[in-house]
Amino acid sequence: MAVTRTFSIIKPDATRRNLTGAITKMLEEAGLRVVASKRIHMTKDQAEGFYAVHKERPFFNDLVAFMTSGPVVVQALEGEDAVKRNRDVMGATNPADAADGTIRKTFAESIEANSVHGSDSDENAKIEIDFFFKPEEIVG
Ligand code: CMP
């Protein structure tokens, strides 16, 4: 299995509850290594750009408002089959559907305030990492 990278966001509902360390620990225990990390307050432009694929969805405006409501921690993660590994430990988008032991089952408040984002493909992982990080900010 190849070592690849994925992109993660620890969302405002999680930073508000001081869960950055607890969530990062679960990512690390799942076999992922944090190779870049920064805590930022996303601008409206950044949130709209990052989630542009969802701009026709009914939840888009609420999603942008939520993602700009407080600090987030953006991370690049590395590991074997990183996209799948991260999605497995995150659990389903809706915490009501997430498996026991996943981040969203453990911490998420709702389908919107679902504590973490993770890339859904290697292609999107690259786009999303490049959206927030310069190459020199990633140290593997
Ligand atoms: P995320 O993985 O960051 O990708 C898009 C986000 O939209 C998703 O997690 C949820 O936080 C949010 N969202 C809000 N409502 C919905 C919905 N009905 N279906 C999917 N995603 C939703």
Side-chain angles (χ1 to χ4, degrees), residues 2-3 15 43 60 83 93-94 108 111 134 139:
V3 172
T15 61
T43 64
F60 181 71
V83 168
T93 304
N94 187 344
I111 192 168
K134 300 183 194 124
V139 182

Side-chain angles (χ1 to χ4, degrees), residues 40-118:
I40 62 170
H41 198 134
M42 251 190 231
T43 64
K44 187 163 181 276
D45 274 359
Q46 278 178 311
E48 286 177 348
F50 182 78
Y51 281 121
V53 65
H54 294 304
K55 68 175 180 298
E56 305 305 331
R57 306 284 287 272
F59 58 80
F60 181 71
N61 288 341
D62 284 347
L63 175 61
V64 169
F66 169 63
M67 292 301 289
T68 57
S69 68
V72 301
V73 179
V74 292
Q75 297 176 319
L77 307 174
E78 193 174 87
E80 285 191 3
D81 205 5
V83 168
K84 179 175 189 301
R85 199 174 276 268
N86 186 37
R87 291 180 75 76
D88 286 349
V89 71
M90 283 196 304
T93 304
N94 187 344
D97 302 329
D100 284 349
T102 61
I103 293 169
R104 285 168 169 162
K105 180 70 172 190
T106 306
F107 295 123
E109 297 179 323
S110 66
I111 192 168
E112 177 179 88
N114 64 353
S115 299
V116 282
H117 163 82

